[in-house]
Amino acid sequence: MSNSFTLASENVEAGEALRDFYLTSQRTLNRLMAAQGASFAKTKMMIFIHRQGKVRSTDLVEAFGFAPRTITEAVDAMEKDGLVERVADASDRRVKHISLTAAGVEVVQLSEPVRKRFTDQLFEVLDPAEKKQLAQLIGRLNVRLRELGEEGVDGDGGTDGCA
């Protein structure tokens, strides 16, 4: 028999399971990436930069949704580690383009097989139908997240248990 308490409990359980999966997977991948010379977060930024060729800080803010200060600090750290370089734009010296150094490219190249192996090993416990179902369910949750972001959240606790 289902009641509102049971449904709320199921929502909390699902939210906690998603949060735990996210945190554990991020920590595990971060540990694996650190062995390749950069954290998972830095590696994600470096992959983005590598794919774009060169970017501005504003491109990173937009792509990752972090505060500008957070991006500046991350780029500063990567620059200090010799993974990226900033170059002034020839036509507008206020604009700095960020690109990978040779060492940054090497870190990206070393990290890709690690990321692929991690993903393959993680999802090998699911059969193809389960993987498809998981992708569909997460897709539906992502659609709902976007809707909630656009609508705002009502004041009656409608998001209790969501992470």
Side-chain angles (χ1 to χ4, degrees):
M1 183 165 139
S2 179
N3 59 37
S4 62
F5 179 75
T6 303
L7 291 175
S9 177
E10 291 168 352
N11 291 345
V12 169
E13 186 178 346
E16 288 176 354
L18 279 172
R19 184 198 65 232
D20 290 348
F21 174 81
Y22 173 78
L23 291 174
T24 303
S25 64
Q26 295 297 300
R27 286 181 190 131
T28 302
L29 200 47
N30 195 47
R31 184 177 42 80
L32 294 170
M33 292 293 99
Q36 304 309 315
S39 69
F40 178 54
K42 286 181 186 177
T43 303
K44 285 192 324 188
M45 272 193 224
M46 290 169 50
I47 289 168
F48 180 82
I49 295 166
H50 186 63
R51 289 180 179 153
Q52 301 298 314
K54 62 182 178 179
V55 299
R56 299 167 298 149
S57 290
T58 55
D59 299 326
L60 295 171
V61 167
E62 194 174 295
F64 293 98
F66 295 131
R69 179 179 176 91
T70 302
I71 293 295
T72 299
E73 290 171 356
V75 173
D76 286 347
M78 288 186 291
E79 188 174 41
K80 181 180 172 222
D81 292 341
L83 302 172
V84 300
E85 64 183 353
R86 290 181 174 114
V87 177
D89 184 285
S91 61
D92 185 348
R93 291 180 34 170
R94 295 171 297 173
V95 175
K96 302 278 188 204
H97 293 285
I98 304 161
S99 59
L100 294 183
T101 63
V105 170
E106 184 177 350
V107 167
V108 168
Q109 290 172 341
L110 289 172
S111 69
E112 279 305 303
V114 173
R115 287 169 31 104
K116 182 182 180 334
R117 187 169 46 256
F118 171 78
T119 303
D120 291 347
Q121 290 175 345
L122 176 64
F123 288 105
E124 73 185 1
V125 299
L126 302 176
D127 65 40
E130 291 172 322
K131 292 174 194 176
K132 185 175 182 176
Q133 182 181 23
L134 178 62
Q136 290 170 338
L137 291 171
I138 292 173
R140 285 174 50 197
L141 290 174
N142 279 328
V143 167
R144 185 62 181 141
L145 281 172
R146 285 190 287 279
E147 290 171 355
L148 290 172
E150 292 168 6
E151 297 170 4
V153 178
D154 60 16
D156 70 356
T159 62
D160 283 355
C162 292

